[in-house]
Amino acid sequence: MENSNMAIVAKKAHKETFERISPEKRDRIITIATKEFAKNGFKGANINIIAKKAGISIGSMYNYFESKEDLLLTVINEAYKLLEKVLGSVSLENKNFYEKIEELVCAAQKFARQYPEIHQVYLDITSEGLSHLTPRLSRTIEYITIEFYRHELEQAKKQGIVREDADVNVTSLCIDNILVLTQFSYTSEYFKERLKLFIGEDAFDDDERIVKGVVDFIKNALMPRMNISNNK
């Protein structure tokens, strides 16, 4: 993604010993831990069960992670890296602001369908019960996204395709909230049902309709009135 040349540099939650094992073993531990956290939440997930399913001893698990919290934070950090990779693969060259937003909505939709468990874990860590972990979470990917929105909105204003009076910071928040909720609508059972209530029972059969609707909504909110009339 353009203007996201910052790499995620999250503070490591795992021990150095975790980096010395094979990539296959690391991936297996992270994959199983992600599934357990997604299914049972942080409080319900059992590190002994995770170790057993990963085919390692509980002693080895604690040799890699100080606590279950550190294992969860490692899962989150790996998810951020995966999201950064997905965003980095989105081609935004030679596109205007709204075309870029459309690409990002498509990418968010695809990412949610491909990795639903990651979003379920993310939903869990946003609960008040895990608020004590907030200071330890990496926010780098969010900072990258914020700067991207701000930059693109400022450029779009100069091009006359976004209203001059649009508050860049508030607009960035609104767009990101739309993308986040779109992703949750494909992963959380509650949000899935919510989507069907608003869109209809066939909501998941027409991805293009959702993307078009989201982009049209953003266009109508941000385009100068003259531009909206000309686009009709």
Side-chain angles (χ1 to χ4, degrees):
M1 186 168 68
E2 292 173 351
N3 306 309
S4 62
N5 53 4
M6 292 172 60
I8 291 180
V9 184
K11 185 177 180 181
K12 295 176 183 176
H14 58 265
K15 298 179 181 179
E16 291 294 328
T17 48
F18 186 61
E19 297 183 18
R20 297 187 193 132
I21 62 178
S22 68
E24 292 78 15
K25 192 173 183 179
R26 286 199 304 270
D27 290 345
R28 185 169 71 250
I29 293 171
I30 294 299
T31 299
I32 290 170
T34 301
K35 290 180 179 179
E36 288 297 308
F37 285 129
K39 180 181 179 182
N40 302 305
F42 174 75
K43 293 181 179 179
N46 189 306
I47 198 166
N48 290 277
I49 292 175
I50 294 172
K52 184 177 180 180
K53 289 185 176 181
I56 62 174
S57 67
I58 188 62
S60 293
M61 185 66 88
Y62 281 110
N63 195 36
Y64 305 144
F65 309 97
E66 191 70 38
S67 63
K68 186 168 73 168
E69 286 187 0
D70 284 349
L71 175 56
L72 174 65
L73 289 169
T74 301
V75 165
I76 294 298
N77 287 338
E78 291 302 313
Y80 281 157
K81 291 178 185 177
L82 185 59
L83 178 57
E84 185 190 37
K85 184 178 179 181
V86 170
L87 292 177
S89 67
V90 176
S91 176
L92 302 179
E93 293 183 9
N94 303 317
K95 292 182 173 68
N96 67 36
F97 175 73
Y98 299 106
E99 290 170 336
K100 291 177 181 180
I101 293 298
E102 181 175 355
E103 290 292 332
L104 290 177
V105 175
C106 288
Q109 195 178 58
K110 182 178 179 181
F111 184 72
R113 283 188 179 279
Q114 193 169 358
Y115 304 103
E117 290 158 339
I118 287 177
H119 293 81
Q120 289 159 10
V121 173
Y122 185 79
L123 268 174
D124 190 39
I125 65 170
T126 61
S127 67
E128 284 301 310
L130 294 180
S131 60
H132 64 287
L133 291 179
T134 300
R136 297 185 62 193
L137 291 171
S138 167
R139 296 296 184 193
T140 308
I141 191 68
E142 292 176 4
Y143 292 139
I144 291 172
T145 307
I146 290 168
E147 289 306 311
F148 171 79
Y149 290 141
R150 288 173 177 167
H151 172 80
E152 293 298 331
L153 282 165
E154 291 290 1
Q155 293 300 309
K157 277 188 175 186
K158 292 176 182 178
Q159 295 163 3
I161 59 175
V162 164
R163 295 195 336 262
E164 290 185 5
D165 64 337
D167 185 309
V168 168
N169 294 326
V170 174
T171 302
S172 296
L173 174 64
C174 291
I175 292 174
D176 196 59
N177 282 345
I178 290 172
L179 262 68
V180 169
L181 282 174
T182 298
Q183 292 181 82
F184 287 163
S185 296
Y186 289 88
T187 55
S188 160
E189 290 304 318
Y190 173 82
F191 282 104
K192 283 181 180 179
E193 290 302 314
R194 185 172 177 271
L195 182 68
K196 287 192 287 186
L197 284 173
F198 278 94
I199 308 298
E201 288 296 319
D202 61 345
F204 298 98
D205 299 328
D206 193 350
D207 287 354
E208 290 184 7
R209 178 190 175 196
I210 303 295
V211 173
K212 184 180 184 303
V214 168
V215 176
D216 283 349
F217 176 82
I218 294 173
K219 277 184 179 180
N220 285 317
L222 295 180
M223 267 191 170
R225 293 302 162 194
M226 185 179 297
N227 290 30
I228 291 176
S229 299
N230 291 337
N231 275 332
K232 287 183 178 179

